[in-house]
């Protein structure tokens, strides 16, 4: 994530991010690796919808955000979300 480029108030919600407690490795796996564990953690995260909205608004291209993989977010954008 490029947090330093985003104004701090916009990131207040990330204080509740479950992935902040687990580390980012699950969320930015090597190409072809499973994202199952990241998705499982996201499914328990209290800010999942905020996270997904943020990723879509900022066109985040890499990693799992809000429980969706890069490919799934791309499909969502193409479907006109
Ligand atoms: S939804 Fe997933 S990626 Fe987003 S903050 Fe929560 S655990 Fe992290």
């Amino acid at each position: 994530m490029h947090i330093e480029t985003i104004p701090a108030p916009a990131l207040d919600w990330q204080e509740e991010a479950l992935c902040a407690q687990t580390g980012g490795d699950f969320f930015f796996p090597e190409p072809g690796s499973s994202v199952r564990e990241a998705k499982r953690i996201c499914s328990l995260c209290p800010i999942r919808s905020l996270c997904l909205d943020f990723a879509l608004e900022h066109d985040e291209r890499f990693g799992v955000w809000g429980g969706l993989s890069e490919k799934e977010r791309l499909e969502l954008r193409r479907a006109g979300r």
Side-chain angles (χ1 to χ4, degrees):
M1 287 187 276
H2 299 285
I3 290 174
E4 68 278 2
T5 63
I6 300 163
L11 295 175
D12 281 352
W13 55 270
Q14 290 194 355
E15 289 173 11
E16 295 182 59
L18 218 49
C19 54
Q21 297 165 35
T22 63
D25 290 354
F26 293 128
F27 298 85
F28 296 95
E30 293 294 319
S33 300
S34 173
V35 293
R36 199 167 77 181
E37 186 60 15
K39 288 182 164 203
R40 189 187 70 78
I41 295 167
C42 290
S43 73
L44 303 171
C45 182
I47 57 165
R48 183 178 167 192
S49 62
L50 283 172
C51 177
L52 180 58
D53 284 348
F54 179 90
L56 293 171
E57 282 169 19
H58 292 84
D59 200 19
E60 294 288 351
R61 297 287 167 101
F62 303 103
V64 173
W65 290 73
L68 297 188
S69 67
E70 300 151 20
K71 188 177 169 200
E72 289 166 335
R73 291 196 306 279
L74 182 62
E75 286 168 359
L76 201 59
R77 274 197 297 268
R78 283 186 178 154
R81 185 182 171 247

